[in-house]
């Protein structure tokens, strides 16, 4: 348990009660079993501990909080301090769960399933079938609605403790970037660069923001494969670009940045014109995205401002969203600054809210030089956005 | 990626093809998105890497292996070597998924949902809804069956590489137990005992088998709360029992053991009669369980042998299953040596198979002394069971 977890859960539970009111939902039910193996992504901030047997965490719009868990989990859940009423059962959850719903008699019951927002899709299909069975013969099965709007708001709006942790993750990530920048030299391989950054995480006892196999993602020169791919033995060569995508996971919060470096040829005092031109476009795209991002704007519109710029300048279209939310995960779900493609579902249609944290990212291939990409992170304020770390405004020259 | 992961995935994919034949299932489809956040528990051994966008891994009874993933995940999935055909998409998975099913035209399509086996319940309800949408207008939606029998067999039957890793996790756990035994003395608190064991894990760069907050679970004397609960500041006192539940997670495999110690009073050369008697019962229960456990027996019958012994001797009934499987998780799902209680669903009705690894665990309260419990781990062989570590056959005296 991280110091401050109690505070964090308290803040988020309070936020959630408010969101239930906004959404006109009577109760929100988080269901879980063996949550260390496969747990609803809302559990870490709504409960703050794991559970073993089938469990229900019932939060009411009036502030009611009831947990129903296997007896051996009772002390553990009580110890969180977030759930004042904890009901333990030995043989099965169905009966205490039904009895509790009868007592609360909610008109709407939100549970976490969502076609588009994976962070709001914490209920497995087997547990959905079990829920139907528990509610057989009651009026409650018909009162179930998707908890997606609740999750999107509670997860997206970063509380005070969450913003403190994100700021700390930012500071660490920047430290590791700075160390990398000082250490980089022609000849080091992609694999050595990844190892250097892993060492920076390990020494601090923190994790990588996503799968360590390809965090960092390192793309050196024009022949390196692009995407979620392990670093290769390709060495940094003069006249090539190096693009690195990296972030740390610290105290439960993830960060995500991309930086691009240029390895100077002998005698060069600045990158070649083609590289500078590409950088100017990518930089402009990031700034356009940051300017368009503010409370109330629909995510796809922010993406479209940049996609329109790219099309108008005859640049190749990049094949991912302009920005995703950051939080407990590197891809934190909910409102997305992305195109209205099938794979993104409804997420680009959500309005941006205050206190959400987004990436802004775009990359361009520069023939013969390599991949040029930037990813910056911003928090949405009442009057616009604020960069969480100083954005990269010029290519970093190496060698 | 752990050394040997390639071998492990190769072994498990091969096993799975055989199981599809046994179960008369044409194809098994693993679905995933953002699998670092919430991933089907079969992915680590069937794919061996994580994926970002909606992805399908289609395994045929004839050995066909097709992966359909977002373009940026293609290189990563190809690099596993386990999926010879990798189809990348940009905008959405529906069309390549439908086209692939039409090509394979399976009569039965297993997907991972299960009311009872959480390890076979890797499909979220939102993804289930998406799957229905992808298959609209095709005959395939009606051909879907639960992948539970496939998962139970593939997950349960430990391959060569898995057995090697479990043996290594056993050896490490025993090392840490031995160090603990040498270090224990009256006066140390539950919290200090947990810290000692965590230090043993951290020094080796390995994890705890379950949530570190209550792994180890430490129960010192009669006033310590029992169950999944954090260690307290209660010190080890003379004349008390100490029960510890602990295991390591090493190279992806988990172990789980309980040991009970008795803190000697001045002048005592053996534990008091009440304690010795309780130990003899618990020891007998473990031995009875191990004798009853063999290929083909139904899990609940093994539990019942011990539960009958406990009832016949007028002992208080313990409130959990006699044994669960071990593997990639401490509670690894599938066939369970447990009573036919609602909370265990169908799992106690499954027959035990060769190469499955089980715990055998039981505890008894001894008034005024504390909690006395043992947990041993066994692998099922053709002709019975084999203890993975020497079982505890006598109380360990401390002080």
């Amino acid at each position: 348990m991280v110091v401050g977890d109690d505070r964090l859960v308290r803040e988020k539970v309070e936020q959630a009660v408010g969101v239930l009111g906004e959404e006109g939902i009577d109760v929100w039910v988080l269901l879980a079993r063996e949550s260390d193996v496969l747990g609803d992504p809302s559990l870490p901030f709504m409960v703050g501990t794991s559970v073993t047997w089938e469990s229900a965490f019932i939060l009411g719009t009036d502030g009611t909080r009831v947990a129903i868990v296997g007896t051996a989990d009772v002390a553990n859940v009580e110890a969180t301090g977030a759930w004042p009423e904890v009901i333990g059962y030995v043989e099965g959850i169905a009966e205490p769960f039904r009895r509790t719903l009868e007592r609360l008699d909610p008109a709407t019951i939100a549970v976490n399933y969502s076609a588009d927002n994976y962070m709001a899709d914490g209920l497995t299909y087997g547990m959905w079938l079990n829920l139907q069975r528990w509610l057989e013969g009651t009026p409650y099965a018909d009162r179930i609605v998707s908890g997606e709007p609740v999750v999107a708001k509670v997860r997206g709006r970063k509380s005070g403790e969450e913003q403190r942790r994100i700021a700390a993750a930012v500071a660490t990530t920047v430290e590791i970037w700075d160390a990398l920048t000082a250490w980089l030299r022609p000849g080091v391989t992609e694999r050595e660069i990844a190892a250097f950054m892993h060492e920076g995480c390990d020494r601090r006892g923190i994790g990588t923001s996503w799968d360590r196999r390809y965090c960092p993602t390192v793309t050196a020169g024009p022949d390196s494969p692009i995407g979620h791919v392990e670093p290769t033995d390709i060495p940094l060569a003069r006249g090539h670009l190096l693009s690195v995508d990296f972030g740390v996971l610290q105290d439960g919060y993830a960060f995500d940045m991309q930086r691009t470096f240029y390895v100077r040829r002998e005698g060069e005092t600045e990158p070649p014109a083609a590289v500078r031109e590409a950088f100017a476009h990518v930089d402009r795209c990031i700034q356009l995205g940051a300017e368009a991002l503010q409370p109330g704007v629909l995510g796809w519109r922010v993406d479209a401002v940049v996609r329109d710029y790219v099309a108008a300048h005859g640049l190749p279209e990049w094949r991912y969203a302009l920005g995703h939310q950051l939080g407990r995960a590197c891809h934190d779900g909910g409102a997305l600054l992305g195109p209205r493609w099938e794979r993104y579902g409804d997420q680009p249609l959500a309005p941006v809210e205050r206190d959400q944290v987004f990436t802004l990212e775009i990359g361009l291939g520069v023939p013969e030089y390599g991949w040029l990409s930037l990813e910056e992170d911003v928090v949405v304020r009442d009057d616009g956005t604020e960069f969480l770390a100083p954005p990269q405004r010029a290519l970093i020259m190496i060698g």
Side-chain angles (χ1 to χ4, degrees), chain A residues 201-202 205-210 212 246-250:
Chain A
C201 292
D202 295 346
I206 57 177
T208 54
S209 183
W210 60 94
R212 190 178 165 102
F246 173 70
V248 301
L249 177 69
Q250 178 175 309

Side-chain angles (χ1 to χ4, degrees), chain A residues 204-262:
Chain A
R204 291 170 173 84
I206 57 177
T208 54
S209 183
W210 60 94
D211 190 329
R212 190 178 165 102
R213 288 177 62 195
Y214 48 92
C215 179
T217 303
V218 184
T219 314
D223 298 326
S224 179
I226 291 162
H228 297 171
V229 55
E230 291 184 65
T232 69
D233 290 320
I234 295 177
L236 260 191
R238 293 198 182 275
H240 281 175
L241 289 164
L242 166 69
S243 164
V244 182
D245 189 354
F246 173 70
V248 301
L249 177 69
Q250 178 175 309
D251 289 347
Y253 286 76
F255 202 60
D256 186 6
M257 284 171 87
Q258 291 174 44
R259 289 287 171 259
T260 300
F261 306 81
Y262 175 71

Side-chain angles (χ1 to χ4, degrees), chain A residues 4-132:
Chain A
D5 268 3
D6 293 356
R7 186 186 324 131
L8 190 146
V9 171
R10 215 163 47 233
E11 286 175 355
K12 299 305 281 182
V13 168
E14 200 174 295
Q15 255 187 341
V17 170
V19 168
L20 291 183
E22 288 173 34
E23 295 290 326
I25 287 171
D26 283 358
V27 303
W28 181 29
V29 179
L30 297 171
L31 295 170
R33 61 177 172 190
E34 293 289 344
S35 63
D36 279 341
V37 171
L38 199 71
D40 186 314
S42 296
L43 289 174
F45 59 81
M46 288 298 297
V47 179
T49 187
S50 56
V51 290
T52 308
W53 299 280
E54 286 176 335
S55 305
F57 296 90
I58 305 172
L59 185 76
T61 188
D62 60 356
T64 300
R65 281 171 283 164
V66 185
I68 309 174
V69 301
T71 43
D73 279 332
V74 167
N76 177 27
V77 172
E78 280 176 347
T80 65
W83 295 86
E85 185 180 351
V86 183
I87 300 170
Y89 70 84
V90 174
E91 297 208 355
I93 195 174
E95 197 271 330
F97 182 71
R98 257 197 314 264
R99 213 175 45 223
T100 304
L101 279 194
E102 279 160 12
R103 196 178 87 202
L104 303 176
D105 197 32
T108 43
I109 304 166
V111 301
N112 288 353
Y113 66 89
S114 169
D116 297 329
N117 184 343
Y118 47 88
M119 284 297 182
D121 194 30
L123 187 70
T124 60
Y125 183 47
M127 283 295 277
W128 168 266
L129 296 175
N130 290 344
L131 176 63
Q132 302 302 313

